[in-house]
Amino acid sequence: MSDLFDFRRRLDNYAVMGNPVTHSKSPRIHSLFAEQTGESVHYEAIQVDPGGFAQAVGNFDASGGKGLNITVPFKQEAWQLVNERSDRAERAGAVNTIKFIDMTLYGDNTDGIGLVNDLLNNRIEIANKRVLLMGAGGAARGVLAPLLDQQPAQLVIANRTAEKARELAHAFCDLGNIEGNGYEALDNRQFDLIINATAASLQGELPSLPDNLLATGATCYDMMYGSEPTTFMQWATQHGAITVLDGLGMLVEQAAESFYLWRDVRPDTKPVIEQLRREMVS
Ligand code: ATR
């Protein structure tokens, strides 16, 4: 036991904070990254009570922790808490990665670049494509700037509450060709890439979508993942999508970007995604 304790003291400590966090795959992902790169990293999951976030971050910092991932429901609170933010975190209004640098809490958001990198690794082009983003909550907001950086021909946000989609589009309109609407405005329009950023999959639901929404050769991407295809992925397959992807790759890619921010070392994500996929079905 004391050997283990000594060993851990020589490692740099990182954690994910959230609620609930017990089922988080982040500790597994980062331990695979550490193993692969030989970096001296110890990573754990810390469940934080509502109202206890700032205190928990302060305690982790005081104990010599080097960095944190932040997940639901604390990403917006983390954005408020940090002293400095990357441009992409500033835009996202949410922080999923904190790096402790001397007296400074530096906040980044790696979710959007995680999505973009997963799409590009799967040879899905975004540039000059018609992209539909379903949902206008925190998950959608977090990926908008990196998506627009890729210069799609157009980016349409569709949301059950149309006004939220319009507001979000307005907030990002300086970054590219973007509009926000309700789902009814999708009639007779086609898209090359459709990304589901709604929480509907969690409830096994799906917004009502026109049957001819997919352009020839379209890709559908659900930011959720599970051992079975989500409701949206099933809809995509039934409606002729050529490529249908879930969010497991995005999860690993956003983790890799955090690891890079903390360690200046970029892990190879492909074997880690494959390993997690094997573990999910077994
Ligand atoms: P998150 O941080 O996961 O984005 P959120 O900010 O609560 O969570 O946003 C949830 C998103 O999923 C919203 O876009 C929500 O639509 P509304 O803004 O109209 O509430 C969307 N959503 C949730 N359940 C849905 C459902 N059953 N059908 C369609 N959209 C749904």
Side-chain angles (χ1 to χ4, degrees), residues 202-281:
L202 280 178
Q203 305 126 24
E205 290 175 8
L206 183 67
S208 139
L209 300 171
D211 281 336
N212 60 349
L213 191 61
L214 300 182
T216 308
T219 297
C220 289
Y221 192 105
D222 200 325
M223 284 167 52
M224 300 280 165
Y225 62 87
S227 49
E228 301 294 326
T230 66
T231 316
F232 173 62
M233 292 167 72
Q234 292 171 32
W235 177 92
T237 304
Q238 284 156 13
H239 288 78
I242 294 296
T243 310
V244 180
L245 298 167
D246 71 7
L248 187 69
M250 173 179 174
L251 179 76
V252 175
E253 294 295 342
Q254 63 79 28
E257 199 70 19
S258 298
F259 194 89
Y260 178 63
L261 177 75
W262 294 327
R263 311 298 298 183
D264 214 18
V265 172
R266 203 171 270 288
D268 182 5
T269 49
K270 192 161 178 264
V272 176
I273 295 170
E274 287 167 359
Q275 176 70 26
L276 261 87
R277 189 74 71 190
R278 279 194 295 274
E279 290 173 8
M280 265 168 59
V281 292

Side-chain angles (χ1 to χ4, degrees), residues 94-168:
V95 156
N96 80 333
T97 308
I98 295 177
K99 182 175 182 175
F100 298 100
I101 310 169
D102 299 326
M103 303 298 281
T104 303
L105 295 189
Y106 178 77
D108 196 0
N109 189 315
T110 64
D111 287 329
I113 194 69
L115 169 67
V116 166
N117 284 344
D118 191 39
L119 285 165
L120 298 179
N121 289 345
N122 281 285
R123 299 180 200 285
I124 309 302
E125 288 189 24
I126 306 164
N128 301 317
K129 299 295 183 191
R130 294 161 293 179
V131 179
L132 171 63
L133 182 65
M134 292 161 46
R141 188 183 185 101
V143 299
L144 274 177
L147 276 177
L148 287 165
D149 266 358
Q150 297 294 312
Q151 302 190 311
Q154 56 176 249
L155 201 162
V156 175
I157 306 170
N159 197 45
R160 186 171 59 180
T161 315
E163 193 47 36
K164 274 169 70 181
R166 283 190 206 105
E167 279 168 17
L168 203 49

